[in-house]
């Protein structure tokens, strides 16, 4: 009874919530932070055109089952009751969670079933030039099918697909003859879903945490006549896919580790659900996650340290020597799986980064289906996510697999990092930052 009461109190405390990344923005309205302190320390964030305001009402749970707690299915039912315009999203999240359960089982049994190693024994390469693991291919197919079967997804973009994949079934009359709908009926909202099916897949063979990252956008325009034929992608597919992170209506990840966790937001804060295999459901265990304002951990691949931007080198050195704003030394923790590193940062605070370096001047993480969805989670939990100087959610992708630097975590830590970039007068670094912003205008 005590556990249920605590969950009820924490979830109910959210009430109506306006997404930090989607409120009307100005020079002093990037996040709910002390304006005076922020303005003294750092320059304003570089931003592009503001997204429209969107308010999502948090669900209220008057009663909870003692045996199951609040399941993800129940949570989304209540979200759709509180926000009738999000009913179609309930079906979509149901499809994603079902895919995650399947992937969790595949990862658990990978060594037993022989699903380790490279696809085809090696040599299978995705559009990024990365050699594919067996599970990369299988999990990509699992997610595509799960999303297709919901009937709510018009276009799918994945790390493992060269181009966006159009789902014509989402526009067909149920029980019809396979033609596009031409009757006066509302078949609901259609979404664009982007994902990395198995982030950190190179770690599977060593039993290191992996995860699925996803983001959901509404159609910018109808995709009924969108065509993908012989590798040629219709412009309406591209237009709907390449949206800034500020237009996301939902994002999250599923972590496959000592336990399987589904952490996501629909614009009313971040909630975490743990997979209870005994009942086959994700159960709310981490309601209303808030990243601490300041942490004690930095998480970077320091093998690349001397190739980073000079401001970042100086910032990390300050943390190591205890010469930063807190005057205390930070600890280093790095898993090498984005989902695992972001999950720890959400819970414990600090800063995680996959920055630009001399070899990869735009970083390595993909903006559309890795950086933007994780940036929304960070902001929804009270943190921040930047490329160094620019807010990631403001960047409009110019191509499906565009890469960006990613620096995110506790608001105070990220702002301290940004102050080093603001003080830098390197013309090449400034040029790169402005180029990303101008391309998003």
């Amino acid at each position: 009874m005590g556990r249920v009461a605590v969950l009820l109190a924490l979830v109910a405390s959210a009430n109506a919530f306006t997404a930090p990344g989607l409120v009307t923005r100005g020079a002093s309205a990037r996040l709910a932070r002390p304006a005076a302190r922020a303005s003294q320390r750092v320059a304003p964030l570089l931003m592009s055109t503001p997204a429209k305001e969107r308010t999502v009402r948090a669900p209220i749970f008057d009663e909870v089952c003692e045996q199951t707690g609040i399941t993800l299915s129940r949570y989304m039912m209540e979200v759709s009751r509180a926000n009738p315009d999000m009913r179609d999203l309930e079906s979509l999240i149901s499809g994603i969670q079902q895919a995650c359960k399947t992937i969790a089982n595949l990862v658990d049994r990978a060594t037993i079933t022989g699903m380790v190693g490279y696809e085809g024994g090696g040599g299978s390469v995705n559009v990024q030039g990365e050699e594919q693991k067996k599970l990369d291919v299988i999990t990509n197919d699992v997610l595509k099918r799960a999303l297709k079967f919901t009937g709510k997804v018009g276009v799918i973009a994945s790390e493992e697909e060269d181009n966006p994949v159009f789902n014509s079934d989402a526009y067909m009359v149920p029980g019809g003859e396979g033609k596009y709908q031409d009757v006066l009926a509302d078949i609901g909202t259609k979404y664009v879903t982007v994902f990395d099916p198995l982030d950190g897949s190179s770690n599977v063979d060593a039993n290191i945490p992996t995860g699925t990252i996803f983001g959901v956008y509404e159609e910018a325009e109808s995709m009924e006549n969108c065509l993908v034929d012989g590798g040629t992608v219709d412009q309406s597919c591209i237009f709907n896919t390449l949206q800034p992170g500020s237009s996301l209506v939902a994002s999250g990840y599923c972590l496959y580790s000592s336990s399987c966790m589904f952490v996501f937001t629909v614009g009313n804060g971040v909630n975490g659900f743990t997979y209870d295999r005994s009942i086959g459901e994700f159960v709310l265990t981490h309601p209303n996650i808030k990243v601490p304002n300041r942490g004690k951990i930095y998480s970077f691949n320091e093998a690349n340290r001397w190739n980073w931007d000079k401001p970042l080198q100086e910032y990390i050195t300050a943390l190591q020597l205890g010469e930063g704003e807190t005057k205390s030394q930070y600890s280093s923790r790095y898993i090498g799986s984005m989902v695992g590193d972001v999950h720890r940062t959400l819970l414990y605070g600090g800063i995680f980064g996959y920055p630009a370096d001399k070899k990869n001047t735009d970083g390595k993480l993909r903006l559309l289906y890795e950086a933007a969805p994780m940036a929304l989670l960070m902001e929804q939990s009270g943190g921040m996510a930047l490329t160094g100087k620019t807010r990631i959610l403001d960047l409009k992708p110019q191509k499906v697999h565009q890469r960006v630097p990613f620096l995110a975590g506790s608001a105070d830590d990220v702002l301290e990092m940004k102050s080093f970039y603001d003080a830098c007068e390197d013309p090449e670094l400034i040029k790169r930052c402005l180029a990303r912003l101008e391309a998003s205008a």
Side-chain angles (χ1 to χ4, degrees), residues 145-365:
R145 290 176 182 273
L147 291 168
K148 176 182 178 181
F149 297 157
T150 67
K152 304 301 180 184
V153 178
V155 169
I156 298 166
S158 164
E159 179 182 16
E160 305 305 328
E161 301 287 342
D162 292 4
N163 296 308
V165 177
F166 177 54
N167 176 28
S168 60
D169 289 354
Y171 300 89
M172 295 180 182
V173 180
E177 298 179 355
K179 296 182 179 179
Y180 291 122
Q181 176 152 333
D182 56 2
V183 296
L184 296 177
D186 181 9
I187 57 174
T189 306
K190 294 297 176 291
Y191 295 99
V192 175
T193 305
V194 299
F195 57 82
D196 180 349
L198 195 61
D199 170 68
S201 58
S202 61
N203 292 327
V204 169
D205 297 8
N207 279 329
I208 295 171
T210 55
T212 296
I213 305 170
F214 66 88
V216 181
Y217 298 88
E218 287 184 351
E219 285 184 355
E221 63 178 32
S222 175
M223 292 182 288
E224 183 175 346
N225 297 313
C226 175
L227 298 174
V228 179
D229 184 24
T232 301
V233 186
D234 188 83
Q235 287 303 306
S236 59
C237 290
I238 295 293
F239 178 75
N240 277 283
T241 304
L242 301 182
Q243 299 185 50
S246 55
S247 295
L248 282 163
V249 296
S251 76
Y253 61 79
C254 193
L255 172 67
Y256 313 115
S257 185
S258 55
S259 61
C260 176
M261 284 197 67
F262 191 97
V263 179
F264 82 123
T265 180
V266 292
N268 62 347
V270 177
N271 292 284
F273 298 75
T274 301
Y275 187 32
D276 184 345
R277 296 177 186 274
S278 67
I279 61 173
E281 292 279 0
F282 284 102
V283 178
L284 182 64
T285 53
H286 294 68
N288 200 25
I289 296 172
K290 294 295 181 184
V291 61
N293 288 333
R294 173 76 75 174
K296 297 179 180 179
I297 298 171
Y298 69 90
S299 182
F300 293 80
N301 181 358
E302 293 188 73
N304 299 321
R305 180 190 187 118
W306 305 116
N307 291 320
W308 293 342
D309 296 334
K310 192 69 173 178
L312 186 60
Q313 293 181 26
E314 294 172 350
Y315 168 65
I316 294 300
T317 299
L319 295 185
Q320 293 173 325
L321 297 177
E323 296 175 354
E325 292 181 357
T326 64
K327 302 302 179 186
S328 61
Q329 288 182 309
Y330 277 41
S331 297
S332 174
R333 299 286 185 274
Y334 185 71
I335 298 171
S337 170
M338 186 187 191
V339 172
D341 283 312
V342 167
H343 185 70
R344 182 197 57 248
T345 304
L346 278 176
L347 298 183
Y348 300 161
I351 185 167
F352 162 73
Y354 209 131
D357 57 41
K358 292 177 182 177
K359 182 180 178 181
N360 304 286
T361 55
D362 286 315
K364 292 199 68 175
L365 295 179

Side-chain angles (χ1 to χ4, degrees), residues 19-33 35 38 44-45 47 379 384 391 394:
L22 301 172
V23 296
T24 302
R25 296 188 296 269
S28 62
R30 354 173 244 285
L31 288 172
R33 296 192 36 75
L45 289 177
M47 294 182 173
E379 289 204 6
M384 297 182 73
R391 181 172 179 257
D394 282 324

